[in-house]
Amino acid sequence: MSAVSVNLLLVEDNRADARLVQAWLQDGASVLPARCHHVSYLRDAVDALRGNHFDAVLLDMSLPDSEGIDNVDRIREVADDLPIVVLTGRDDEAFGLTVLQHGAQDYLVKGRHTGDYVNRSVRYAIERKRLEEQLVRLAHFDVVTGLANRVRFVDRLEHAVARATRRREGLAILYLDLDGFKLVNDTYGHTAGDWLLHQVGKRLTNCVRDEDTVARIGGDEFAILIEEIEALQGAITVAEKLLAEVGAPYYFKGTEILVGASIGIAPFPASGQDGETLMNHADIAMYRSKESGRHGYQCFTQEMRLETSRQREAEKALERALHAGEFELFYQPRVAVDGQRIAALEALLRWRDRGTLKVPQSFIPLLERTGLIGEVGDWVVASVCAQIQTWREVGCDVPLVSINLSANQLRDVGLSRRLRRILDSYDIRPDTIEFEITETLLLGKDETVKRVLQELRELGCSIAIDDFGAGYCSFAYLRDYRVDVIKIDRGFISGITAGSTEALLVGGIIRLARDLSLKVVIEGVECREEVEVLRPCNPDEFQGYLFHKPMEAAAIRKLLCFAPAPPNPDVSQNWH
């Protein structure tokens, strides 16, 4: 410890002992320069602590107006951050341990120690207290933002709920999650991400009162505790202010960054009677805000709780389904435009839930929300590979098999490595597999998605854009993403007639795809009239109920191994 002068408070009613301690401190001034303020009563010590700054307290345990452990407790009530060295006449290790458990840093038995020992004890007490404060800060404050962390926030919340209950006051929790933060990390790096989190923390703090608590809960999630608030409208006013502040532009090294926020509001006592319940309900409301369009707020309602409960039951059912073998694969053929052969098969996931066959739209979003999509996706690829092996073993000529990938799977940087292991384990060539993605995934120019798609193509698998034209219909993203196939959405061809605008658009799309060396599949074909109009546009393949519905693997086996080719390619015939 450097020789910086410290200010000590000596609380000792025995004048001889007090003079001895002061003399010892003066003798050790070369190591611990100290100014010593002496009082004889605990009440005087309390008054001194309230009006002055001290670096440590030397505290006698037997005073005229107080005795024993109560002395330590009373000092800590007034100045919890000060190190305390206890002076006692009791040579009792059990008593000494009790003193330390109540917050003192050391205790000295009178008459047993020299001046050097006393000086060293005071020095060590101050250093231990400083180290303790550093550890407490690390345990209770976020390193990136300097805000309270989850541990400290929960502690503050529990005390706030207790106060509000006694005083019959209101409070509210605002749970905030940034919208678009991942894109900032992916685009500008984690240094920019940490800088942005720090800036958001400052803006949040500036929006509330000093007595309110702002915390970083984890990742890009923050929580704000607003106390002494009597009406929900007060919390809504704060939420609107937070949205405006967080949504204003940030400038990182001259680059403008824009993010939004989704906020969930849980007022006490309407949304819960304890801190844990309030936190959960604010979190639920925040997710509802994200689902409602982002950069907004939602107040918790009991209907949200019921809906969340239903979702959790569904999530448990999906986890059970994965491990109980309730997922199945159906396959829908794609037919070559000449009508002579099956050109490909699309693997389609189904869930047989208590005898009812469910389609992906009813459970894929839940798989993504629970994080199970990766495990289920790997199961699909492995099951397709195993099925290809089985078909080949019985002599089937197996065409290309197409597998759908979700957004979350494409943001998994380990996807290509796992798929390579799966393909190798079943001895399946990568060019046997095609992966389908929706075009909406390409619009955000996500660097992770771009990297994963490139790795899949380098692996040898082809990439198809599904539902092309369902909402965007743009070739612009092909400058950044290399793909092999586009599948024109059913919405483009429904009710199509010769010479119609739709027919001209489809023809134009196919010609442009040809110039880009892309294969074109028309999906959702349901009637012969559509084929008659579309066939002159020269697509590569058709897919739809006119030709084949999705079917189980056993039916596909018969189709591949035993079904003869259609006798002629005349589209006036319904081949299957």
Side-chain angles (χ1 to χ4, degrees):
M1 181 177 177
S2 60
V4 177
S5 180
V6 297
N7 198 22
L8 305 178
L9 175 63
L10 173 61
V11 189
E12 170 62 73
D13 65 320
N14 187 306
R15 293 190 177 276
D17 288 344
R19 285 194 295 270
L20 180 61
V21 170
Q22 290 173 315
W24 282 340
L25 292 173
Q26 290 175 359
D27 290 342
S30 61
V31 178
L32 182 71
R35 297 186 303 274
C36 187
H37 179 76
H38 172 232
V39 295
S40 299
Y41 291 82
L42 186 64
R43 62 176 179 269
D44 293 336
V46 170
D47 290 340
L49 289 170
R50 285 173 173 164
N52 301 277
H53 167 75
F54 295 98
D55 296 294
V57 178
L58 290 163
L59 177 63
D60 184 20
M61 294 299 283
S62 180
L63 298 171
D65 58 344
S66 183
E67 184 80 21
I69 295 297
D70 288 345
N71 293 357
V72 177
D73 293 340
R74 185 68 181 120
I75 294 295
R76 292 201 63 206
E77 285 178 10
V78 180
D80 185 50
D81 58 336
L82 277 185
I84 301 172
V85 176
V86 164
L87 304 174
T88 177
R90 296 178 58 175
D91 188 2
D92 183 341
E93 289 189 6
F95 176 74
L97 180 60
T98 302
V99 166
L100 297 178
Q101 289 173 340
H102 278 250
Q105 274 60 54
D106 202 354
Y107 78 100
L108 303 175
V109 180
K110 294 180 180 180
R112 286 190 52 185
H113 301 294
T114 65
D116 289 341
Y117 192 93
V118 172
N119 277 278
R120 187 177 66 178
S121 177
V122 173
R123 293 200 313 273
Y124 287 2
I126 293 174
E127 287 302 313
R128 279 197 294 270
K129 189 63 178 180
R130 286 176 180 171
L131 178 58
E132 177 185 319
E133 289 173 351
Q134 291 174 1
L135 294 174
V136 167
R137 181 158 191 86
L138 288 173
H140 290 86
F141 290 87
D142 177 56
V143 175
V144 174
T145 64
L147 299 174
N149 63 11
R150 176 183 286 273
V151 172
R152 184 170 178 83
F153 185 83
V154 169
D155 181 66
R156 294 290 297 271
L157 177 58
E158 289 176 352
H159 285 88
V161 168
R163 283 193 300 272
T165 302
R166 288 195 307 270
R167 300 171 183 175
R168 297 187 177 181
E169 294 176 342
L171 61 83
I173 293 178
L174 282 66
Y175 206 106
L176 182 149
D177 183 86
L178 295 181
D179 300 328
F181 178 73
K182 184 179 184 301
L183 183 60
V184 173
N185 260 347
D186 291 343
T187 305
Y188 303 107
H190 289 283
T191 299
D194 288 347
W195 176 86
L196 178 61
L197 290 172
H198 183 74
Q199 296 301 311
V200 169
K202 289 171 61 176
R203 292 189 184 186
L204 295 179
T205 302
N206 291 336
C207 286
V208 299
R209 303 164 300 182
D210 290 342
E211 58 266 32
D212 298 325
T213 303
V214 179
R216 182 187 175 206
I217 301 302
D220 59 347
E221 294 184 350
F222 297 81
I224 300 95
L225 169 62
I226 309 294
E227 297 191 62
E228 299 178 11
I229 189 168
E230 298 302 330
L232 177 59
Q233 185 57 47
I236 291 174
T237 300
V238 174
E240 291 172 342
K241 186 177 180 181
L242 294 175
L243 288 173
E245 287 295 316
V246 172
Y250 302 82
Y251 295 93
F252 178 72
K253 297 182 178 179
T255 300
E256 183 181 78
I257 295 176
L258 293 174
V259 294
S262 297
I263 299 176
I265 303 173
F268 169 87
S271 296
Q273 305 292 318
D274 60 85
E276 182 179 0
T277 301
L278 287 169
M279 287 281 284
N280 289 338
H281 288 175
D283 192 26
I284 289 171
M286 182 272 290
Y287 276 104
R288 180 60 60 89
S289 176
K290 277 194 175 295
E291 293 169 357
S292 300
R294 302 194 172 200
H295 201 61
Y297 65 85
Q298 290 283 329
C299 301
F300 175 78
T301 65
Q302 291 302 319
E303 178 56 34
M304 289 183 189
R305 183 183 63 80
L306 294 174
E307 177 62 25
T308 300
S309 179
R310 288 191 290 267
Q311 287 185 358
R312 286 174 179 165
E313 288 302 317
E315 290 166 4
K316 290 178 183 177
L318 283 172
E319 190 168 355
R320 181 202 67 233
L322 176 61
H323 298 104
E326 296 177 5
F327 288 119
E328 301 177 10
L329 287 180
F330 279 50
Y331 297 86
Q332 186 176 27
R334 291 179 359 205
V335 179
V337 73
D338 60 9
Q340 296 300 308
R341 64 185 176 85
I342 292 174
L345 300 169
E346 180 180 358
L348 300 167
L349 183 63
R350 299 290 186 265
W351 175 21
R352 196 171 295 280
D353 181 22
R354 293 184 290 272
T356 301
L357 202 61
K358 294 186 175 181
V359 295
Q361 293 89 331
S362 66
F363 59 85
I364 289 294
L366 276 175
L367 285 176
E368 293 200 330
R369 186 155 47 235
T370 58
L372 286 171
I373 189 66
E375 192 173 355
V376 172
D378 289 355
W379 175 86
V380 169
V381 176
S383 297
V384 166
C385 291
Q387 189 59 64
I388 291 173
Q389 271 191 341
T390 300
W391 283 330
R392 287 176 175 172
E393 287 170 357
V394 296
C396 294
D397 185 13
V398 184
L400 179 79
V401 180
S402 184
I403 300 172
N404 291 278
L405 290 179
S406 75
N408 284 8
Q409 286 175 279
L410 279 173
R411 295 189 180 102
D412 179 357
V413 295
L415 179 66
S416 61
R417 291 193 299 273
R418 295 201 309 278
L419 295 185
R420 179 185 292 275
R421 287 197 296 268
I422 294 172
L423 293 173
D424 289 347
S425 66
Y426 287 95
D427 195 25
I428 301 296
R429 287 175 47 183
D431 59 7
T432 308
I433 303 296
E434 177 182 273
F435 291 108
E436 290 190 23
I437 62 174
T438 60
E439 62 175 328
T440 54
L441 276 173
L442 307 183
L443 297 177
K445 295 186 178 180
D446 189 312
E447 289 300 318
T448 302
V449 171
K450 183 177 180 180
R451 171 184 165 190
V452 171
L453 285 176
Q454 180 62 28
E455 288 175 349
L456 293 177
R457 293 193 87 255
E458 290 173 355
L459 181 62
C461 302
S462 55
I463 305 296
I465 302 175
D466 194 16
D467 301 329
F468 185 85
Y472 300 91
C473 189
S474 172
F475 283 91
Y477 43 67
L478 298 182
R479 292 175 299 183
D480 301 304
Y481 300 91
R482 292 184 60 194
V483 300
D484 305 281
V485 181
I486 61 171
K487 299 181 70 177
I488 297 179
D489 184 69
R490 164 72 186 165
F492 253 111
I493 67 167
S494 179
I496 196 170
T497 58
S500 66
T501 301
E502 290 81 3
L504 293 174
L505 284 172
V506 170
I509 290 172
I510 293 175
R511 286 193 296 274
L512 185 53
R514 286 277 178 270
D515 292 340
L516 296 172
S517 301
L518 298 175
K519 182 185 292 185
V520 179
V521 179
I522 307 290
E523 58 182 349
V525 180
E526 296 182 356
C527 63
R528 290 190 299 273
E529 290 75 14
E530 293 168 350
V531 174
E532 291 168 355
V533 174
L534 292 167
R535 191 180 183 192
C537 295
N538 197 29
D540 294 281
E541 299 169 11
F542 290 121
Q543 183 179 16
Y545 280 20
L546 174 64
F547 307 101
H548 298 283
K549 295 181 178 180
M551 59 188 75
E552 294 176 312
I556 291 292
R557 171 187 170 182
K558 294 179 181 178
L559 195 63
L560 294 178
C561 295
F562 307 115
N568 66 69
D570 186 355
V571 296
S572 65
Q573 300 183 48
N574 189 344
W575 302 317
H576 301 284

